[in-house]
Amino acid sequence: METIPPLFVAGFRHLIAGGLLFGWCWWRGLRPVRQQWFASIVLAVLFFLIGHGTLHWAQQTLPSVAIVLTSTGRARITPALLIGLLLGLLGVALIIGADFRTGRSDMLSSFAVLIGSASWSIGIVYSRSASLHPDSRMAAAMSLLAGAGLLLLGGTITGEAARLSLALVSLKSLLALGYLAIAGSLVAYSAYFWLLDRFPPTLIATHTYVNPMVALVLGWTIAGEVLTAGFVFGGLIIIAAIALVGRATSREAQALSKGERRAETEDDERGTG
């Protein structure tokens, strides 16, 4: 964002990644229908316009997904899962709290964190029942393209277009944009949509705990930022949270799998009888 406004950074990276992925899927013979486009646009609003747009204003996220899933009856909060989520929240709070004390954060960015996290969590819930394309790569491509269009439109409406001068875009910004488009969007979201079809949402959402740690390590190694005891302690708590949530969701998935097999066995027995 050194020489490119934030919403346009997000829009351009998703446009490049979505265009490449969509072109490859189209070449393979995949053809989306209108209903799948509608679902992709809704998901793009939740994931990219709100969720990812606010992410460019804040570097931390909060674990609200389990609460949203429970309210919709799609997941069950067990004691281990609840402890893991609370630990993750505590770890992120320690990191954000240190940020407040050093004056590098404000109420607006913190409010954006809450909005973006909630929107992303709702998007995960929506993706479980939405009429997305059955191929995860095409589903990712469609959502990325829809998100790119919405972010670029949002940047234009908020006046970012007037601040964008292609002649002033630095080489550093172009290289960073290329990295975000390929690694951060094309690779990451293809993998993310693949995971959404195969693993519990609460387990997938643990990436929101890892994000602050990645930001801190990169800030320390590249930008020369100082890691305080609060940062390190918060990171250790986050690691423990990921382990607990992963263990809890793994047990839940195994229990569901056993229940499904038991139900199938009962149905077979009824059919035989």
Side-chain angles (χ1 to χ4, degrees):
M1 294 186 293
E2 183 180 75
T3 56
I4 306 175
L7 292 182
F8 274 81
V9 171
F12 286 147
R13 63 178 281 195
H14 294 330
L15 181 63
I16 295 170
L20 291 173
L21 190 57
F22 186 87
W24 182 76
C25 291
W26 188 274
W27 177 74
R28 292 182 60 247
L30 301 177
R31 299 292 186 269
V33 298
R34 181 183 302 178
Q35 188 177 16
Q36 293 165 354
W37 273 115
F38 176 79
S40 297
I41 292 173
V42 174
L43 194 61
V45 171
L46 297 170
F47 270 2
F48 302 122
L49 180 62
I50 302 176
H52 210 188
T54 56
L55 190 61
H56 281 69
W57 291 93
Q59 296 182 358
Q60 319 294 333
T61 55
L62 298 177
S64 61
V65 62
I67 299 173
V68 177
L69 287 168
T70 302
S71 65
T72 58
R74 293 180 179 274
R76 180 171 56 88
I77 289 187
T78 62
L81 177 59
L82 181 59
I83 293 173
L85 291 173
L86 291 176
L87 275 178
L89 180 59
L90 174 61
V92 176
L94 285 173
I95 294 173
I96 293 178
D99 221 21
F100 269 115
R101 289 189 294 272
T102 55
R104 291 175 293 172
S105 184
D106 51 31
M107 292 300 295
L108 181 60
S109 63
S110 299
F111 186 62
V113 166
L114 295 175
I115 294 177
S117 178
S119 180
W120 194 278
S121 300
I122 295 171
I124 293 178
V125 174
Y126 175 76
S127 69
R128 309 297 288 185
S129 58
S131 300
L132 297 171
H133 197 282
D135 187 282
S136 60
R137 291 159 295 187
M138 177 57 94
M142 295 167 66
S143 296
L144 284 168
L145 285 177
L150 292 169
L151 285 164
L152 294 175
L153 177 61
T156 302
I157 294 174
T158 57
E160 286 191 359
R163 296 190 284 118
L164 176 63
S165 175
L166 297 180
L168 298 178
V169 175
S170 66
L171 177 61
K172 183 190 293 185
S173 291
L174 286 176
L175 292 174
L177 180 62
Y179 172 80
L180 288 173
I182 302 302
S185 292
L186 180 62
V187 176
Y189 287 111
S190 296
Y192 192 79
F193 276 76
W194 182 85
L195 288 169
L196 284 174
D197 288 335
R198 291 165 173 82
F199 293 93
T202 44
L203 179 59
I204 299 172
T206 54
H207 81 282
T208 60
Y209 298 142
V210 181
N211 288 344
M213 295 183 62
V214 173
L216 290 176
V217 172
L218 291 178
W220 174 61
T221 56
I222 298 177
E225 295 180 352
V226 179
L227 289 183
T228 65
F231 284 146
V232 176
F233 186 58
L236 293 175
I237 291 179
I238 288 172
I239 293 174
I242 294 172
L244 276 174
V245 172
R247 191 172 183 180
T249 50
S250 176
R251 287 178 176 176
E252 182 179 354
Q254 291 175 1
L256 288 173
S257 179
K258 290 180 180 178
E260 291 174 355
R261 288 197 298 268
R262 189 182 302 113
E264 291 177 356
T265 302
E266 293 175 354
D267 289 341
D268 291 339
E269 291 176 351
R270 292 193 194 98
T272 304

